[in-house]
Amino acid sequence: MVTLQDLKRINDYEWEIPKSFRPDMRVPVRLFATRRMLEDVMKDKSLEQAVNAATLPGLVGNVIVMPDMHQGYGFPIGAVAATRLPDGVISPGGIGYDINCGVRLLGSHINLETAESYLDDLATALNQHCPSGVGENGVVHASEAALEAVCNQGSRWTLKQGFASEADLRRTEESGCVEGADPAKVSKRARQRGCPQLGSLGAGNHFIEIDLVEQIFDDTAASVMGLEQGTLAVQIHCGSRGFGHQICTDYVEEFQGVVQRFGIHLADRELVCAPLNSPEGQSYLAAMRCAANYAFANRQILAHSARKAFEQVLAGKLKDWHLHQVYDICHNMGKIETHIIDGERMQVCVHRKGATRAFGPGTAELPDEYKAIGQPVLVPGSMGTASWVLVGTEASMTQSFGSTCHGAGRLMSRHEAKRNVRGEKLRQDLEAGGIHIRAGSMAGLAEEAPQAYKDVNQVVEAVVGGGIAKKVARLLPLAVIKG
Amino acid sequence: MQPRFGFRENAHTADWELEVWAPDLACLLEQAARGMYALSGMQFKPGEAQNRIVRLHAADAEGLLVRFLTELLWLAEQQGLGFEAFSIQLDGRYNLQAELGGYAIASVDKEIKAVTYHNLQVQDTAQGLRVKIVFDV
């Protein structure tokens, strides 16, 4: 068990569990958090899970945990770990079942004052245009051939189908398509699950939200992103649906035998992995990329649906109701990237599970318009609380493999939240606070109650204080659509 | 005194943890299935009973548990079926044949993404078998 005494203070925002903490650790664990947040961190097993993750073969640098960390399975949520190529491992449990779960932000020039009377209609229209709920089918029922194209092309497929613009793709991580996907590495079951669900939100903590750009902290960056104080924005949070869940399930199962063959000893069976240069590791990487591309396409189709909803409600009433893409980020991904580690430039597989890529200014992978300001980072808060737009920094490149936090992070178990919060009462309270709610399940709503999460403002203070992100804008929720 | 078999939800920050106990593995699998359905808030439609036969193999008890529950999630999503009658046969080498009787699903409150292997260990205690299963939700 990790205690406060086991943490070595690096500075006010960084703490370390040294490699000597447990003999099987291969690298230290670095934690970004304020002293005040550490009390909450100790309430669950997230740091133990981070220590377990630090035992994987081929790790380099540190296992990083973000201030929004919480207990997950295998890796904690909010973890970043990099393994060296070619013989380090890739672990599906270090990426998560919802492969390329992520967030998209759309900005607008719609002033709240002019649109306030339409918010309820917008919430209804978004709920109608964007299918949500458990196992719900999507806007598109893809054929087998279309699914293959989605696997290979991601958002590029949606561009050909009329769901996207070139600007949308440019302002998406990886331009909406990770190269190296291979649909042949995806099971029949995953395909069966994937075909009907394209363009759907799902359930759980996934949502679509209409926000108000409440405050700007960096005028230049906000201006480049097209974010203006007092205007509406839309966030879409979802991933690869049953397609990604099935791919992860398939490979966690397959890798149970692989670790024995490679003589890899695990602290937890959910950490199963395979060397990146093994046929099994390559197969998972290729299948995972299919799910990543599916998720990019999924969020793109939902963005198209959100635009249709805005058009339906606002066309002819407001002059400019267009929603432009600010950025689309992934927070559950495995990526081959080049980083400088201990002074050495090396190719690594960066596992981000509940952590956002946050590349700093000048990074080659960014679209031209963002090269000077750094990559936009989207940090949704809990339902009914603020969300943040940040940018990556030079320091994030050296301290956290170009990564930062991904959200508020859970504090209370779902069981406890359900016990303490009544979904219907929560809905009434949020609506009394001026937030329009559309939710498929009151039990699901209760589990996502704001009090079940950490304070996202504290999370942001910790990553900004730690130097791995900079503030650009704060958003406040006006309408929430949940499955 | 605790019943000989059953399940309960334990606190888990982000996901769901189900603790299950039973005198033997077949009963443990059945209780785990019932617990999973209960957690997801599954409701059946009144109507004609549906039967399915599931055959699975795994290397150990934990693997069988994950595969069995994963199969039930698959049948729920793809065929819209949930089950309340379980006849589970095991041969001692982790080969399973389950005859399942159930109904079409009317509604589910919460989506279960996956059954995980996180710290999964079927423990043989003086009272029987006991396991904690973490579901990704």
Side-chain angles (χ1 to χ4, degrees), chain A residues 44 49 70-74 97 189 193 241 245 253 256 268-270 410 412-415 447, chain B residues 9 12-16 60 62 67 71 74 77 109-111 113-114 116-119 136-137:
Chain A
D44 71 14
Q49 292 181 336
H70 55 256
Q71 186 179 339
Y73 45 85
Y97 286 87
R189 281 199 169 187
R193 293 180 73 177
R241 308 284 287 111
H245 308 167
E253 194 63 56
Q256 296 294 322
D268 176 0
R269 283 178 76 168
E270 192 64 22
R410 283 195 79 92
M412 190 189 283
S413 75
R414 292 176 186 277
H415 184 58
E447 287 190 9
Chain B
E9 184 182 359
H12 183 287
T13 317
D15 297 302
W16 281 341
D60 52 30
E62 290 81 8
R67 287 186 179 197
E71 192 67 20
W74 167 257
E77 186 182 293
D109 279 342
K110 284 284 298 180
E111 182 175 46
K113 291 177 190 163
T116 79
Y117 276 94
H118 178 51
N119 288 339
D136 183 17
V137 295

Side-chain angles (χ1 to χ4, degrees), chain A residues 195-235:
Chain A
C195 282
Q197 292 187 338
L198 199 55
S200 66
L201 190 63
N205 62 356
H206 294 162
F207 63 81
I208 297 181
E209 196 169 278
I210 304 174
D211 294 304
L212 168 69
V213 181
E214 183 240 0
Q215 196 174 352
I216 301 287
F217 295 84
D218 181 332
D219 288 329
T220 306
S223 169
V224 172
M225 294 181 200
L227 290 174
E228 298 166 34
Q229 191 169 349
T231 60
L232 302 192
V234 172
Q235 283 186 92

Side-chain angles (χ1 to χ4, degrees), chain A residues 143-477:
Chain A
S143 64
E144 272 277 330
L147 185 71
E148 286 222 358
V150 168
C151 289
N152 285 316
Q153 300 166 27
S155 293
R156 286 207 301 268
W157 181 83
T158 63
L159 180 68
K160 289 175 196 161
Q161 304 300 315
F163 294 115
S165 69
E166 289 284 0
D168 292 342
L169 268 60
R170 197 173 66 247
R171 289 183 167 203
T172 300
E173 192 168 324
E174 299 287 333
S175 301
C177 179
V178 188
E179 299 300 327
D182 183 356
K185 305 300 181 190
V186 174
S187 70
K188 190 178 165 196
R189 281 199 169 187
R191 289 159 187 260
Q192 277 176 263
R193 293 180 73 177
C195 282
Q197 292 187 338
L198 199 55
S200 66
L201 190 63
N205 62 356
H206 294 162
F207 63 81
I208 297 181
E209 196 169 278
I210 304 174
D211 294 304
L212 168 69
V213 181
E214 183 240 0
Q215 196 174 352
I216 301 287
F217 295 84
D218 181 332
D219 288 329
T220 306
S223 169
V224 172
M225 294 181 200
L227 290 174
E228 298 166 34
Q229 191 169 349
T231 60
L232 302 192
V234 172
Q235 283 186 92
I236 299 169
H237 175 218
C238 66
S240 50
R241 308 284 287 111
F243 186 63
H245 308 167
Q246 187 66 45
I247 287 171
C248 186
T249 295
D250 292 340
Y251 280 91
V252 166
E253 194 63 56
E254 186 184 329
F255 282 12
Q256 296 294 322
V258 170
V259 284
Q260 290 173 9
R261 196 154 58 74
F262 285 99
I264 298 169
H265 299 285
L266 297 172
D268 176 0
R269 283 178 76 168
E270 192 64 22
L271 290 172
V272 283
C273 52
L276 280 152
N277 59 359
S278 67
E280 294 88 349
Q282 287 295 306
S283 289
Y284 169 68
L285 196 55
M288 184 212 66
R289 286 165 168 166
C290 291
N293 289 339
Y294 183 99
F296 283 132
N298 191 37
R299 286 195 292 276
Q300 183 62 54
I301 295 167
L302 286 169
H304 176 77
S305 300
R307 285 169 173 156
K308 277 169 62 178
F310 268 59
E311 181 179 8
Q312 180 187 305
V313 175
L314 300 177
K317 292 167 187 152
L318 300 185
K319 213 187 287 179
D320 183 0
W321 41 264
H322 180 70
L323 296 172
H324 67 266
Q325 177 122 327
V326 174
Y327 206 59
D328 179 295
I329 57 93
C330 326
H331 52 225
N332 281 1
M333 271 287 256
K335 293 259 197 81
I336 306 299
E337 295 172 0
T338 302
H339 288 275
I340 296 170
I341 298 143
D342 300 328
E344 189 187 340
R345 190 176 173 82
M346 63 172 83
Q347 266 205 314
V348 288
C349 178
V350 182
H351 298 66
R352 295 189 181 93
K353 183 180 182 186
T356 312
R357 195 186 77 170
F359 280 0
T363 313
E365 288 84 348
L366 300 182
D368 288 345
E369 63 261 48
Y370 292 152
K371 279 204 166 72
I373 61 167
Q375 181 208 305
V377 172
L378 311 173
V379 184
S382 54
M383 189 169 47
T385 67
S387 295
W388 285 85
V389 182
L390 312 175
V391 279
T393 62
E394 285 91 352
S396 66
M397 303 309 289
T398 54
Q399 287 176 258
S400 57
F401 303 107
S403 316
T404 195
C405 62
H406 88 306
R410 283 195 79 92
L411 187 62
M412 190 189 283
S413 75
R414 292 176 186 277
H415 184 58
E416 199 181 343
K418 272 190 295 189
R419 233 179 19 218
N420 294 335
V421 182
R422 275 187 48 239
E424 186 52 40
K425 171 78 169 52
L426 174 64
R427 190 181 66 81
Q428 287 167 5
D429 290 348
L430 290 168
E431 293 205 333
I435 303 171
H436 302 261
I437 303 289
R438 300 290 183 276
S441 154
M442 287 302 123
L445 197 69
E447 287 190 9
E448 297 300 323
Q451 52 267 50
Y453 283 82
K454 295 177 193 172
D455 179 353
V456 70
N457 298 320
Q458 282 190 39
V459 170
V460 167
E461 291 306 329
V463 293
V464 170
I468 56 172
K470 263 173 61 186
K471 290 180 190 176
V472 176
R474 188 169 59 196
L475 314 176
L476 291 182

Side-chain angles (χ1 to χ4, degrees), chain B residues 1-10 17-35 65 122-123 125-133:
Chain B
M1 199 174 126
Q2 197 172 49
R4 288 179 63 231
F5 54 82
F7 58 83
R8 69 165 169 243
E9 184 182 359
N10 291 336
E17 184 178 288
L18 185 71
E19 185 167 359
V20 188
W21 61 94
D24 55 49
L25 185 55
C27 186
L28 193 79
L29 291 163
E30 176 181 336
Q31 291 303 312
R34 292 186 189 280
L65 190 59
V122 176
Q123 292 179 315
T125 72
Q127 288 77 40
L129 301 179
R130 187 170 282 270
V131 68
K132 291 175 184 172
I133 310 159

